Amino acid sequence: MRKLALSDEILLTVEKPARYIGNEVNMVVKDLDKIDIRFCMCFPDVYEIGMSHLGIQILYDMFNRRGDTYCERVYSPWVDLDAIMREKNIPLFALESQDPIKDFDFLGITLQYEMCYTNILQVLELSQIPIYAKDRTEEDPIVVGGGPCAYNPEPLADFFDFFYIGEGETAYDEILDLYKENKKNGGSRTDFLRKVANVQGMYVPMFYDVTYNEDNTIASFTKNDPEVPDMVKKQVEMALSETVYPEKPLVPYIKAIQDRVVLEIQRGCIRGCRFCQAGMIYRPIRERDLEFLKERAYEMLKATGHEEISLSSLSSSDYSKLQELVYFLIDEFRSKGVNISLPSLRIDAFALDVMSKVQDVKKSSLTFAPEAGSQRLRDVINKGLTEEVILKGAMDAFTSGWNRVKLYFMLGLPTENYEDIEGIATLSDKIAREYYTIPKEERNGRVSIVSSTSFFVPKPFTPFQWVRMNTSEEFLEKQRFLNGKMREQLNAKSIKYNWHEAELTMLEGVLARGDRRLSKIVYDAYKAGCIYDSWSEHFKYDLWMKAFEDNNMDPLFYTSREREFEEILPWDFIDVGVTKKFLIREYERAVSEKITPNCRQACSGCGAMSFGGGVCFEGGVQ
């Protein structure tokens, strides 16, 4: 029998005890006497969300292929267990061995969204690891951060020993080898971190200092150690069909958010939407080979027993072999009762044909993401989608039997005016009107349009990284205005309007573009009781605002001011390939309402060619 860290008595008092016992299908078990490095991988949110994350599955598989390394996992304990662990002084433990995380060599934390920052401190504190990196000793694990939020690591800089900026498949072997070598030679924690700082893509905050101007902007960002680099260049895996990919993914005992096999078909995006951080930081677009994907689909379905396979990509329609892959999956697996889901598809004849084959048309809804209500604003954000294309796609879907459509928009985009906002309501109505042009006897009941708006947050490494973000009050005013316009539409009864919380978005905006001084705010908010901030029932806005007040800092400094191009931004020391010159050019094109062609139509000289592959070199065009 496995020894569990929690007694039966405790497990029976918490919601979903299966979150904490491990032993899932395909869990790796190793002999602790035969390994040199213990690495614990953490997703700082509840188990069901963390288990749905492909990145951890890839790294878990990759680390455990090494004979000298055992990779285990931990997720944020839910609030019920959190209270018990504090009361009974139980250290946080890994699922595989049930051993305390403080006994590991590494704790790797993925940073997927800003609203998980207080959960990172929860994981550190419950693990009995000092929250601040400066307080850790030779006995404590090395704490590593990675993922999309690591592209502005500064608000968390004080809590991490180092950040891995880029894609995990490339440099971890080198880092683990350096760790073993340093240990063998009796080197210290600082000796190891100095070596790590010289691996491309690694950022060690302790070796860099920041000073500030009187107006609170950054005066300088400089290294304090001559041996470390001035700039940190992201890591990119160029050979996606020759790298690791899990053949036996972990299968949870309880329902995860995404209970399916995930097949990542490509990385990056050719579209260049100006609001989209992922589209910029994951350039250049790189595809996986068709045969590689077919093989993995077989292996993963066989090893998991899942009944659904999802194709993962920022824009699936841009995968050059999509038709071939999808028809293969349908022919091969539909008869075995396997569903195929295709997120991020443009609605065209091929997509509708595929969807009618893989979905129950009567039950499913189609999703469009116009992002903006007017053509003018869609050109500003470089969405590359015309109203004509949207209406035609909707009409084709309606004549094929669909009668439910989901629409996604953003409020607060740069240059937005009230005409653009009203456009969201009129476009929703126009789509409903298209449906009612179909003769009554041919219709599939009443049409259902669900229009959702989120609030725009400017993110690092996008052409909008300099812009002013709306205040909570402005967001709410726009939301009320749009709600009123929705009610005025001819088909108002067929349109449902959903919206996001403005206060949560404002805080996300602060953390997204914040600097190193925010570490203290995050710490104080956590200590005051903030945790699970992305869960609306646990979000405590007033405690966050008090943390800003106590530290004499104004959150609006980070959100509601326009930045000059000359200003030093907290993430300027990171080289993502895409150049600042390109981002400025794109911002200027946005203001001029000019669209930029996608990467397959013409190269816009963004800088990603420096990585030497992907779309930049397709068909010999350079």
Side-chain angles (χ1 to χ4, degrees), residues 32 36 39 70 107 123 193 243 248 292 300 348 356 375 392 394-395 413 449 477 574 598 617:
L32 296 178
D36 300 314
F39 197 115
Y70 189 14
L107 172 60
V123 166
L193 290 172
T243 186
K248 295 181 176 180
F292 176 92
M300 292 164 86
D348 55 19
S356 62
Q375 194 56 52
K392 185 185 181 309
M395 193 59 185
L413 286 162
I449 311 284
E477 190 191 313
I574 297 172
N598 73 57
F617 293 83

Side-chain angles (χ1 to χ4, degrees), residues 45 134 164 224 249 251 300 325 373 389 395 398 436 443 565:
D45 206 326
K134 64 180 171 51
Y164 184 123
N224 57 35
V251 183
M300 292 164 86
L325 175 63
V389 168
M395 193 59 185
F398 295 149
Y436 291 115
R443 286 181 216 153
F565 291 143

Side-chain angles (χ1 to χ4, degrees), residues 24-61:
E24 303 99 329
V25 174
N26 297 328
M27 186 188 91
V28 174
V29 179
K30 290 194 175 184
D31 183 343
L32 296 178
D33 295 330
K34 293 181 179 167
I35 57 159
D36 300 314
I37 300 171
R38 298 190 72 179
F39 197 115
C40 192
M41 191 63 72
C42 170
F43 193 105
D45 206 326
V46 75
Y47 175 88
E48 296 91 303
I49 292 178
M51 276 297 279
S52 304
H53 180 56
L54 177 64
I56 284 188
Q57 294 262 16
I58 291 174
L59 293 177
Y60 183 81
D61 180 79

Side-chain angles (χ1 to χ4, degrees), residues 516-556:
R516 202 178 279 199
R517 291 170 297 183
L518 284 186
S519 296
K520 181 70 167 66
I521 309 283
V522 174
Y523 180 82
D524 287 357
Y526 167 69
K527 281 297 189 184
C530 292
I531 190 175
Y532 281 108
D533 297 304
S534 60
W535 298 68
S536 52
E537 68 269 33
H538 292 291
F539 181 52
K540 301 181 179 80
Y541 181 70
D542 52 336
L543 294 183
W544 275 99
M545 290 307 102
K546 188 175 182 317
F548 278 101
E549 205 180 306
D550 291 349
N551 286 281
N552 199 24
M553 287 175 76
D554 182 2
L556 297 182

Side-chain angles (χ1 to χ4, degrees), residues 80-95:
D80 52 0
L81 182 61
D82 176 287
I84 294 168
M85 292 178 81
R86 289 174 197 276
E87 185 198 329
K88 297 187 182 295
N89 198 29
I90 300 168
L92 188 58
F93 52 91
L95 294 189

Side-chain angles (χ1 to χ4, degrees), residues 2 128 131 139 171 175 209 228 243 318 336 340 391 415 430 487 536 579-580 591:
R2 287 167 77 237
Q128 299 172 7
I131 289 179
E139 307 309 307
I175 289 164
D209 295 325
V228 304
T243 186
D318 295 322
K336 298 178 177 72
I340 293 144
L391 294 178
T415 80
K430 279 179 185 174
R487 288 184 187 149
S536 52
T579 63
K580 196 177 240 194
V591 173

